[in-house]
Amino acid sequence: MIRKIIVYIFAFVSICLILPVLLVKDKPTEDVVKLDGEVAGTKEVKNSIANNPTIKLLHLSTGEVEEIDLEIYLYGVVSAEMPATYHEEALKTQAIVARTYTMYKIKNEPKHDNADICDTSTCCQAYITKEERLAKWKEEEREANWNRIIEAVDSTKGKVITYNGEVINAFFHANSGGKTEIASNVWGGKDYPYLQVVSTEGETEYTQYSSTVILSKEELLEKLKENHPDIQIDFNNENAIEILEYTEGERVKTVRFGNIEISGVEARQTFGLKSANFDLVFGENIIFNVRGYGHGVGLSQTGANSMAKENKNYEEIIKHFYSGVEIQNI
């Protein structure tokens, strides 16, 4: 009798221990997550996906669309857009600005039907593959330069610039020539509260961004006739060519050539100037003395480098060039 009781107790205990295991055998654990109704992996896998988004990058020269990890894409952008020899804080600044610019374009201004962004600075922002970038550097500089790029991107991973909690349109350019510009003076339309005119100290040391364009009177007239076939200029009148108005950023806003008036931006495009920050000398020839390189809106890359060399960190640099912003993690 006692033996039967012991057997019954043993059987009962065994059932109590085994039954829960059988019931949960095929049930996902708490760490398993689902994407689109399917088991995708653990929470760590989901977080990895969230923290490493991919983008669709259009290569304009071939028409190919490549799906690429955002941070790896930024290696190519930073190495294409800023010299690797710039101060590490300037490189970090460029990484955050490029990431912000990318996220803004994807969310607000998609330019390509089948891609998020393209690889050309005249349309979106420049991009170069690691192999292409290394080939352009001297062999003895390649490893150190590439490591600087990786460090700039990796150390700022996920950081973007926001205004009132929204990712900003983070314009940038090479050299402002002394002051940045507001967007409406370049592209018309609306202005952004975070894109104000600010001074950029230390840019005069970058003499490669000062340039001169000299045109004969015939060359000048020929270029203007492409868009203004009815133009007439009395070259004997010393006031026939003159700057009429400047922008808040001290660029040319309006300039007169004979019987027409055009914007400084149009003059830049017409005559192949590096910037709308120029002055004119009207004599035997027409001489454009140009300061800076680029549209002048947002971050000045040389200005960022100058600030970094004065021990300013990337947050101080960003908040100088973009007014009232914060740096947040996506």
Side-chain angles (χ1 to χ4, degrees):
M1 185 65 180
I2 294 175
R3 180 178 297 177
K4 287 183 178 180
I5 293 172
I6 293 173
V7 170
Y8 290 149
I9 292 173
F10 179 78
F12 178 79
V13 171
S14 298
I15 291 171
C16 291
L17 292 173
I18 294 171
L19 186 60
V21 175
L22 295 174
L23 291 174
V24 300
K25 181 179 179 181
D26 295 323
K27 182 180 179 181
T29 67
E30 289 184 355
D31 281 344
V32 174
V33 297
K34 293 186 178 181
L35 296 178
D36 298 327
E38 298 296 331
V39 175
T42 64
K43 286 181 179 177
E44 286 73 17
V45 172
K46 182 179 180 181
N47 289 339
S48 176
I49 294 170
N51 291 331
N52 294 278
T54 59
I55 65 165
K56 292 181 179 180
L57 172 64
L58 171 63
H59 299 280
L60 278 183
S61 61
T62 64
E64 175 191 0
V65 176
E66 174 186 8
E67 191 164 329
I68 184 173
D69 180 280
L70 171 62
E71 301 299 313
I72 293 176
Y73 161 70
L74 291 173
Y75 296 158
V77 174
V78 175
S79 65
E81 290 283 7
M82 179 174 278
T85 53
Y86 273 23
H87 193 283
E88 61 184 16
E89 291 299 315
L91 290 168
K92 291 177 184 178
T93 299
Q94 182 65 67
I96 296 170
V97 168
R99 185 182 296 108
T100 304
Y101 183 88
T102 303
M103 300 307 293
Y104 183 91
K105 290 298 178 187
I106 291 173
K107 182 179 179 182
N108 298 283
E109 295 182 359
K111 289 187 175 182
H112 307 285
D113 293 336
N114 57 343
D116 297 316
I117 201 164
C118 76
D119 60 359
T120 305
S121 61
T122 53
C123 179
C124 295
Q125 59 187 353
Y127 168 85
I128 190 171
T129 66
K130 177 182 178 180
E131 293 71 26
E132 291 171 329
R133 180 70 272 179
L134 294 178
K136 293 177 181 291
W137 284 327
K138 295 179 181 178
E139 186 174 356
E140 62 272 18
E141 299 173 344
R142 290 172 185 167
E143 183 176 359
N145 282 352
W146 189 250
N147 285 341
R148 287 172 61 81
I149 300 298
I150 291 176
E151 170 61 20
V153 175
D154 287 358
S155 64
T156 61
K157 183 176 181 179
K159 293 187 182 299
V160 293
I161 309 166
T162 63
Y163 182 86
N164 287 343
E166 297 292 331
V167 173
I168 72 168
N169 199 354
F171 291 109
F172 60 93
H173 59 281
N175 181 286
S176 76
K179 285 186 177 181
T180 64
E181 188 58 270
I182 60 174
S184 63
N185 284 334
V186 180
W187 301 291
K190 68 176 182 179
D191 278 316
Y192 302 84
Y194 46 82
L195 295 174
Q196 301 295 322
V197 174
V198 299
S199 296
T200 52
E201 305 297 333
E203 287 194 312
T204 54
E205 66 180 275
Y206 301 91
T207 55
Q208 69 269 33
Y209 293 115
S210 295
S211 55
T212 301
V213 172
I214 303 174
L215 297 174
S216 68
K217 295 169 183 175
E218 293 76 15
E219 289 172 327
L220 181 95
L221 199 55
E222 183 179 347
K223 289 180 180 293
L224 285 167
K225 280 184 176 180
E226 292 178 7
N227 292 317
H228 303 278
D230 298 329
I231 186 172
Q232 296 178 4
I233 303 177
D234 179 6
F235 288 109
N236 294 318
N237 180 355
E238 61 180 14
N239 295 319
I241 299 175
E242 63 176 336
I243 296 170
L244 301 177
E245 188 180 7
Y246 291 90
T247 68
E248 294 88 335
E250 298 182 359
R251 287 165 180 75
V252 174
K253 187 170 186 177
T254 311
V255 55
R256 182 173 66 236
F257 294 96
N259 63 331
I260 67 164
E261 295 179 6
I262 65 174
S263 69
V265 172
E266 183 180 344
R268 179 193 175 195
Q269 295 167 342
T270 300
F271 305 120
L273 311 180
K274 290 184 176 181
S275 168
N277 189 342
F278 63 85
D279 59 44
L280 275 171
V281 178
F282 174 29
E284 280 300 311
N285 295 306
I286 296 86
I287 303 172
F288 297 87
N289 295 310
V290 187
R291 295 170 292 278
Y293 191 5
H295 50 64
V297 180
L299 176 78
S300 162
Q301 294 170 320
T302 52
N305 196 45
S306 294
M307 289 184 68
K309 289 192 290 187
E310 294 177 354
N311 298 319
K312 304 295 184 182
N313 61 35
Y314 67 77
E315 183 172 0
E316 293 173 299
I317 297 170
I318 286 170
K319 290 186 175 181
H320 173 76
F321 286 102
Y322 304 102
S323 303
V325 300
E326 298 296 336
I327 300 172
Q328 298 181 332
N329 289 310
I330 56 171

